[in-house]
Amino acid sequence: MPKLPPFRAAREFKRSQQMLVKTADITANHLKNLFHAAKHLETAALLAKEVKNYEEAAEWLAKAGRMLRENGNPDSASLMLEKGAKMLEEPLPEASARLYSDSAEAADIEDKVGQAAQCLGHACRMLIRAGKLDAAADVARRRVGQAGRDSNPDTLSKAVLALVVVELGRGDLVAARKAFNDSVHVSSFQTGDDCGPLQTLLEACEQMDGDRGRQALQNPVFRYMDNEFAKLARSIRLPEARQKPSAAGGAAAEAAGAGAEDAEEFDGGLC
């Protein structure tokens, strides 16, 4: 079969999308079959993605997810939404975050708290990529709430780690300390690998000790987080290190009679 020129291919894709959306509407409203209507919309979204109509793809995926939940298929909705969210990570991180969040809600209906927490982690990651740190913090708090219900102790530990990094990344030390303190009483978190490095970092920020803070951030706990979280951790603003004068500089300062204490300079960070 001969290959269509790009403009004709795009036109055929568009026509197919429109037919699928109309079919979905008829299937849902006249045949009352929400499951198959959702599948039509999912296919339309995949076609939209092929011609880079990402906004339409996101819209139809979200609608398909609602249909599946209304039809009593939250598990199918969660899996479909998660797949769609992954598809949109690069072109539309904010839309991807919304789909991940919807996937988490659907998973929660089935009490799949681990899956829900994981999807919220992905949503938070996408919001960081989009530069929406306030929204990322909200999602990270929801993730901690979900993770606290999971039987896997590592789920909570990683959720608290992410939340503290987001709060520090947005410059809110008080919220970061609260996020840590709210979970530190949980024995699985206390004894996990993330608790100690987080405590060290928070203490460094509270004591305005930039050197200690930078040293804390070299811990593998922070360095080996998912890429967006690791980048955000590296961007946490810490006090500048005290500049130690060289021997020659010190002698010159003494010769000039400069006996005053060196002033510590800070870069205006959260600490």
Side-chain angles (χ1 to χ4, degrees), residues 141-159:
R141 292 185 202 103
R142 286 175 56 200
R143 180 188 179 188
V144 170
Q146 285 285 355
R149 298 164 52 206
D150 192 31
S151 59
N152 183 352
D154 194 51
T155 305
L156 176 62
S157 184
K158 296 305 178 188

Side-chain angles (χ1 to χ4, degrees), residues 234-270:
R234 291 196 297 270
S235 76
I236 293 172
R237 301 180 70 188
L238 297 165
E240 292 288 352
R242 182 193 293 270
Q243 299 295 323
K244 296 182 179 180
S246 64
E254 287 182 8
E261 293 183 355
D262 293 332
E264 289 184 338
E265 295 181 357
F266 297 90
D267 69 354
L270 61 89

